[in-house]
Amino acid sequence: MTPRTSAQGQSTRTDSATTSVEDYAKTIYGLAEWDDTAVSASALAKTLGVSNPSVTLMVRKMADLGLVDHQPYAPIRLTEQGRQLALAMVRRHRLLETWLVRELGYGWDEVHDEAERLEHAVSETFVDRLDARLGHPRVDPHGDPIPGPDLSMDHPDTELLCRVPTSSAVRLEQVDDSVPDALRVLAEQQVEIGAQVHVTASESGDVVVARTDAGEGIRLAHELAHAMRVSVVRSDGSGASGPGDLEN
Amino acid sequence: MTPRTSAQGQSTRTDSATTSVEDYAKTIYGLAEWDDTAVSASALAKTLGVSNPSVTLMVRKMADLGLVDHQPYAPIRLTEQGRQLALAMVRRHRLLETWLVRELGYGWDEVHDEAERLEHAVSETFVDRLDARLGHPRVDPHGDPIPGPDLSMDHPDTELLCRVPTSSAVRLEQVDDSVPDALRVLAEQQVEIGAQVHVTASESGDVVVARTDAGEGIRLAHELAHAMRVSVVRSDGSGASGPGDLEN
DNA sequence: TTGCAGTTTTAGGTATGCCTAAACCATACT
DNA sequence: AGTATGGTTTAGGCATACCTAAAACTGCAA
Ligand SMILES: [Mn+2]
Ligand SMILES: [Mn+2]
Ligand SMILES: [Mn+2]
Ligand SMILES: [Mn+2]
């Protein structure tokens, strides 16, 4: 449980890392952060909102910089150096989000875009001082672990809510911060990170969840349930492994 | 004294304002903020650290955007729209500096570069929330006035320290935040904004200043005295209008 | 008044990062 | 095996924001 990933070596943010390079590295990392999928050029393109050829070019450049391993038509993988750059960016992003929520009165559905820009503008010094001011938080407002100064972090193993079997008791651990609809629904229903809920039923790919205390059922579109990760508290063995993951 | 400049009209940060455009507008404004000089292309180029031709091109572009008035070989002037963009950037910059000093433990000589990058990355919402959190400060750590949400500000009329007549009593009002040497010297000597000092002598373009309480004299290279602005408390009429301003 | 020095603009070129359209390759299916 | 499909790369361009070198202008000074 919660294997401790670690990355030694020092801050890899060389000057050759432009904003774009930083975003690519972070996105490559993010696409395989929870499930260890191979990262394809088109997935990258879709996530980054650029065309496929743009990705090809950028990946070539990042290979030259030693940030990714890539041969034609093969999946894209970060080198150790690239992974460190990505983790440094993840650290920035999550610390900034934590600060925006804790001290600037932002809602957890508002912070992602702001952090997305700020993460490229702050200095290493800034990040360290912010980290200290916040008391070295280990988790961001969305339940995502924050890498420490040495880029190590606790990496909980959680499951997508939409893949959990029906009639399980689960605890909400993480919500994808780039899906504001999911964040807003949860805020409206006052379900927070750490809340324990019951997966009661699912129809047509949607997931219905009940709060343990109040019996109210909340219907989550599959798309939203796909943006939430949970840890299973009790798996009611009644079988029926939930809705198949009818991916996109 | 302290005439209240004001600018109505709303936030002018259209999407067409790139980081470069923002910096140009801010710099054009800054070059004439205290003395109402005509802004030349070469002054802009020197301040921005770019070549003269780059300035010509950018100024043309900003004229197309309606941010500056400019005809060939004439000085460069901001339009009302350009002035509002500039003031919006000044507001960001000075609020960010204030925050960095007050809440993140930065020294006043460290904040300029950080703010210089952050000012382009924060949203209007961010600025307003930061402003509220800081209690709507009207002056930044270097003594520079902070434009309000409506972009109006108190604009003190101060003089360059290097142009004050010898044997005057003056109060330190502002220090150019982009001259860290000046900031460090003052920090070392524990002279803060608002401190009252005595201009005792000047030789070879340098300026010597004594703290009113402790009699210690501080020699400031002309370059540093040029980065400080003061208000004259008592002008000892003994004449001799100080060192001529042997500009560059 | 003419010339010259310094400033400003034009001309031509580089680097980054994106695009569309067309060629290419690997794989999966008949 | 043969071919269709779709993901990937190449080819050719565009926009921004710089640069140096050369031409053009201004304004002051002999
Ligand atoms: Mn985020
Ligand atoms: Mn987050
Ligand atoms: Mn500053
Ligand atoms: Mn300042």
Side-chain angles (χ1 to χ4, degrees):
Chain A
M1 280 258 162
T2 71
R4 188 177 195 87
T5 329
S6 89
Q8 71 293 59
Q10 275 325 0
S11 90
T12 316
R13 258 189 120 230
T14 76
D15 295 344
S16 54
T18 63
T19 292
S20 288
V21 168
E22 290 175 348
D23 276 336
Y24 274 79
K26 188 162 62 85
T27 304
I28 295 168
Y29 177 84
L31 283 174
E33 184 169 15
W34 307 114
D35 32 41
D36 218 331
T37 344
V39 176
S40 70
S42 45
L44 246 188
K46 183 154 55 144
T47 307
L48 287 164
V50 300
S51 73
N52 262 348
S54 297
V55 168
T56 297
L57 256 41
M58 192 52 141
V59 165
R60 197 204 304 300
K61 181 178 160 188
M62 289 176 73
D64 292 345
L65 292 173
L67 297 171
V68 298
D69 280 332
H70 180 58
Q71 29 249 61
Y73 298 97
I76 298 155
R77 273 194 294 115
L78 289 172
T79 61
E80 181 53 31
Q81 199 194 147
R83 196 169 139 272
Q84 282 177 37
L85 173 60
L87 284 169
M89 296 312 297
V90 166
R91 172 169 155 82
R92 285 152 181 263
H93 186 97
R94 293 178 184 167
L95 281 173
L96 284 163
E97 287 184 337
T98 304
W99 172 65
L100 291 170
V101 166
R102 295 233 287 241
E103 303 202 343
L104 228 53
Y106 272 78
W108 76 345
D109 57 324
E110 301 176 308
V111 293
H112 183 72
D113 292 347
E114 196 82 50
E116 201 61 43
R117 277 173 284 113
L118 284 170
E119 65 192 1
H120 308 289
V122 299
S123 68
E124 207 64 42
T125 301
F126 179 102
V127 173
D128 291 339
R129 289 190 182 164
L130 186 60
D131 186 37
R133 177 177 173 84
L134 294 172
H136 308 285
R138 308 214 55 90
V139 176
D140 89 350
H142 312 101
D144 291 316
I146 302 176
D150 62 348
L151 303 183
S152 73
M153 63 178 161
D154 291 323
H155 222 238
D157 54 353
T158 51
E159 273 186 87
L160 285 178
L161 175 55
C162 61
R163 313 191 101 241
V164 159
T166 320
S167 295
S168 307
V170 300
R171 190 190 349 258
L172 181 63
E173 299 286 1
Q174 305 167 285
V175 187
D176 186 334
D177 55 18
S178 66
V179 186
D181 283 351
L183 297 166
R184 267 192 290 272
V185 165
L186 292 175
E188 272 162 27
Q189 305 290 337
Q190 299 181 311
V191 180
E192 300 183 334
I193 296 291
Q196 199 155 316
V197 297
H198 206 85
V199 182
T200 39
S202 61
E203 311 161 21
S204 72
D206 292 6
V207 172
V208 175
V209 143
R211 288 246 293 298
T212 302
D213 38 350
E216 285 285 331
I218 307 167
R219 150 165 280 111
L220 296 169
H222 177 269
E223 183 201 344
L224 299 191
H226 192 73
M228 304 175 190
R229 301 191 74 91
V230 300
S231 58
V232 177
V233 172
R234 179 181 46 78
S235 178
D236 190 355
S238 71
S241 78
D245 194 5
L246 315 167
E247 216 53 37
N248 25 348
Chain B
M1 282 263 160
T2 71
R4 191 178 194 84
T5 330
S6 87
Q8 71 294 56
Q10 275 324 2
S11 91
T12 315
R13 260 188 119 229
T14 75
D15 296 343
S16 54
T18 63
T19 293
S20 289
V21 168
E22 289 175 348
D23 276 336
Y24 274 79
K26 189 161 63 85
T27 304
I28 295 168
Y29 177 84
L31 283 175
E33 184 170 14
W34 308 114
D35 33 43
D36 218 331
T37 343
V39 176
S40 70
S42 44
L44 245 188
K46 182 154 54 145
T47 306
L48 288 165
V50 300
S51 72
N52 263 347
S54 296
V55 168
T56 297
L57 256 42
M58 192 50 140
V59 165
R60 198 204 305 299
K61 180 179 159 187
M62 289 176 74
D64 292 346
L65 292 173
L67 296 171
V68 299
D69 281 331
H70 180 59
Q71 31 249 62
Y73 298 97
I76 297 155
R77 273 194 294 116
L78 289 172
T79 61
E80 181 54 31
Q81 200 195 145
R83 195 168 138 274
Q84 283 178 37
L85 172 59
L87 284 169
M89 297 312 297
V90 166
R91 172 170 157 79
R92 285 153 181 264
H93 185 98
R94 292 180 185 167
L95 280 173
L96 284 163
E97 287 184 338
T98 304
W99 173 65
L100 291 170
V101 166
R102 296 232 288 240
E103 304 202 343
L104 227 53
Y106 271 78
W108 75 345
D109 58 323
E110 301 175 309
V111 293
H112 183 72
D113 292 348
E114 195 83 51
E116 201 61 44
R117 277 174 284 113
L118 284 170
E119 64 191 1
H120 307 289
V122 299
S123 69
E124 207 62 44
T125 301
F126 178 102
V127 173
D128 292 339
R129 289 189 182 162
L130 186 60
D131 186 38
R133 177 175 171 86
L134 294 171
H136 309 284
R138 309 214 53 89
V139 175
D140 89 349
H142 312 103
D144 291 316
I146 301 175
D150 62 350
L151 304 184
S152 73
M153 63 177 161
D154 292 323
H155 222 239
D157 54 353
T158 51
E159 272 184 272
L160 285 177
L161 175 56
C162 62
R163 311 191 102 242
V164 159
T166 321
S167 294
S168 307
V170 300
R171 188 188 353 255
L172 180 62
E173 300 285 1
Q174 304 167 283
V175 187
D176 187 336
D177 56 18
S178 66
V179 185
D181 283 351
L183 297 166
R184 268 193 290 271
V185 166
L186 292 175
E188 272 162 26
Q189 304 290 337
Q190 299 182 311
V191 180
E192 301 183 332
I193 296 292
Q196 199 156 318
V197 296
H198 205 85
V199 181
T200 40
S202 62
E203 309 160 22
S204 71
D206 290 9
V207 172
V208 175
V209 144
R211 290 248 291 298
T212 302
D213 40 350
E216 285 286 329
I218 308 166
R219 150 166 279 111
L220 298 168
H222 177 270
E223 183 200 343
L224 297 191
H226 192 72
M228 304 175 190
R229 301 190 73 91
V230 299
S231 59
V232 177
V233 172
R234 180 181 43 78
S235 178
D236 189 354
S238 71
S241 78
D245 193 5
L246 314 170
E247 216 54 38
N248 22 353

